[in-house]
C-alpha cells in the first residue's frame, strides 16, 4: 500500500516491497527523480527528510532554487 509522507512543504511516497523486504519512496511533484529507501518504516521517514534536504541543497548549488 502506498502512503504519503510530508516534510516541510514536500511530499513523498512510502511503500513496502515484500519481495525486497525494504521500504522505499520518491519525492512527489518535482521535475527531478529523488528516491530513498530503508529497512525500517521509521528509517524511511529519516531517509525521506535527508533526501529532501539533499535535493534542496543540490538545487541551490545548481542555481535552480524553487
Amino acid at each position: 500500500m502506498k502512503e504519503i509522507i510530508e516534510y516541510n512543504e514536500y511530499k513523498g511516497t512510502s511503500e513496502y516491497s515484500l519481495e525486497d523486504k525494504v521500504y522505499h519512496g520518491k519525492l512527489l511533484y518535482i521535475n527531478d527523480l529523488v528516491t530513498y529507501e530503508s529497512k525500517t518504516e521509521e528509517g524511511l521517514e529519516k531517509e525521506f527528510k535527508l533526501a529532501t534536504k539533499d535535493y534542496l541543497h543540490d538545487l541551490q548549488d545548481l542555481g535552480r532554487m524553487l
Side-chain angles (χ1 to χ4, degrees):
M1 181 167 82
K2 188 183 294 188
E3 294 184 29
I4 302 296
I5 54 180
E6 297 183 37
Y7 174 67
N8 288 342
E9 299 176 13
Y10 291 89
K11 296 181 185 208
T13 59
S14 172
E15 299 183 64
Y16 183 72
S17 170
L18 287 172
E19 182 179 329
D20 300 323
K21 295 181 176 63
V22 69
Y23 290 88
H24 61 94
K26 67 178 183 174
L27 282 178
L28 297 173
Y29 314 119
I30 61 172
N31 291 326
D32 299 296
L33 178 62
V34 178
T35 62
Y36 41 90
E37 68 177 48
S38 176
K39 291 185 179 184
T40 66
E41 191 171 4
E42 296 81 15
L44 185 69
E45 188 166 344
K46 178 182 174 187
E47 293 301 322
F48 165 62
K49 290 177 181 179
L50 288 173
T52 302
K53 290 176 185 177
D54 286 346
Y55 175 63
L56 293 173
H57 186 267
D58 289 347
L59 287 178
Q60 186 175 21
D61 285 350
L62 294 170
R64 293 178 44 204
M65 281 307 294
L66 301 175

